Amino acid sequence: MTAEVVEARALPLARLAALPGVSTASGVASAAEHARTTGRVLPVSPALSGLLPAAGLRRGSTVSVLGSTSLMLTLLAAATAGGAWAVAVGLPALGVVAAAELGVEVGRLALVPRPGAEFPAVTAALLDGFDLVVVGPGFARPDVARRLSARARNRGSVLLSLGSWPGAEVELSCRRSRWTGLTGDGAGYLRAREVEVRTGGRGAAARPMSALLRFPGEGEVRKADFPTPVAARWGTA
């Protein structure tokens, strides 16, 4: 391998390191080593496993999440708790405290809040080293999205988009929600949010599925148990 090739391959990481506000935890190198030694499917909460074709996040796949940052963070929880490394790109308002409350191991969560025009190069570099790469909405044109999804397949990372992503294998969306904890006269405290999560996509995910989930203020997301039909309690979205 020539010195020119080595320099060319190192350029995306050099650009990443130069960006303000970048945190890579113990570094891309150690994350890459970890990625090589873990399994092909990263675990998720039992409440979500039935919505995913592999009962978890399959390495090399692209997953889009519509309508809920909480759902996105919940997808990261079990994997990071089990030792996987995650990074969020282009999400400057992401709440670290909220991530921790939903079970994310924040010591294994890196943040690149404002990649700017370097988004494609930065994200490609991160897909080389992290198990899970979360990207904010509105960054990827269709051609860029295809290249980054191909990069995830080749590197064995999971690419998660908070928002629509062209060609995503799996799409999760929150269609309806309500809060619990208030009495009929409006007294009490908001304690949990109950949502209907639907899934679709391509291949093994082509058959639509749905589940009713409860997101607590602290602790693990759980399946909700509704005594009456959903339509009677919520109506349409």
Side-chain angles (χ1 to χ4, degrees):
M1 185 180 296
T2 66
E4 290 79 10
V5 172
V6 172
E7 182 178 359
R9 292 185 177 180
L11 184 57
L13 289 179
R15 289 175 175 172
L16 170 63
L19 288 172
V22 173
S23 170
T24 59
S26 65
V28 170
S30 62
E33 178 63 24
H34 177 77
R36 286 192 292 270
T37 60
T38 53
R40 294 301 302 171
V41 177
L42 298 173
V44 297
S45 164
L48 293 173
S49 62
L51 294 172
L52 299 168
L57 295 169
R58 182 180 57 79
R59 287 184 175 276
S61 65
T62 299
V63 178
S64 64
V65 177
L66 308 180
S68 177
T69 302
S70 295
L71 178 58
M72 173 65 79
L73 292 173
T74 301
L75 284 171
L76 303 181
T80 56
W85 291 83
V87 58
V89 186
L91 291 166
L94 183 69
V96 176
V97 172
E101 289 181 345
L102 288 166
V104 177
E105 174 51 65
V106 295
R108 294 191 178 92
L109 175 64
L111 303 175
V112 185
R114 294 180 175 85
E118 295 294 322
F119 170 80
V122 167
T123 305
L126 292 169
L127 287 167
D128 288 350
F130 282 82
D131 301 291
L132 304 119
V133 178
V134 180
V135 298
F139 280 99
R141 303 186 310 270
D143 58 327
V144 173
R146 287 192 295 270
R147 290 200 300 270
L148 291 177
S149 289
R151 186 86 166 207
R153 285 193 299 274
N154 292 335
R155 302 304 187 188
S157 303
V158 179
L159 178 61
L160 299 127
S161 170
L162 187 60
S164 181
W165 187 272
E169 287 94 335
V170 181
E171 182 177 279
L172 299 172
S173 60
C174 289
R175 299 299 180 93
R176 295 177 286 196
S177 68
R178 70 164 198 163
W179 288 91
T180 66
L182 298 180
T183 63
D185 59 1
Y189 298 92
L190 295 175
R191 298 188 181 279
R193 185 162 65 98
E194 296 168 341
V195 301
E196 180 189 10
V197 178
R198 297 184 184 180
T199 182
R202 301 186 291 111
R207 183 168 65 91
M209 300 178 65
S210 65
L212 301 172
L213 305 180
R214 177 175 294 157
F215 290 89
E218 293 188 28
E220 186 177 348
V221 61
R222 303 183 300 277
K223 286 190 175 180
D225 181 19
F226 295 110
T228 58
V230 174
R233 298 167 70 97
W234 278 321
T236 58

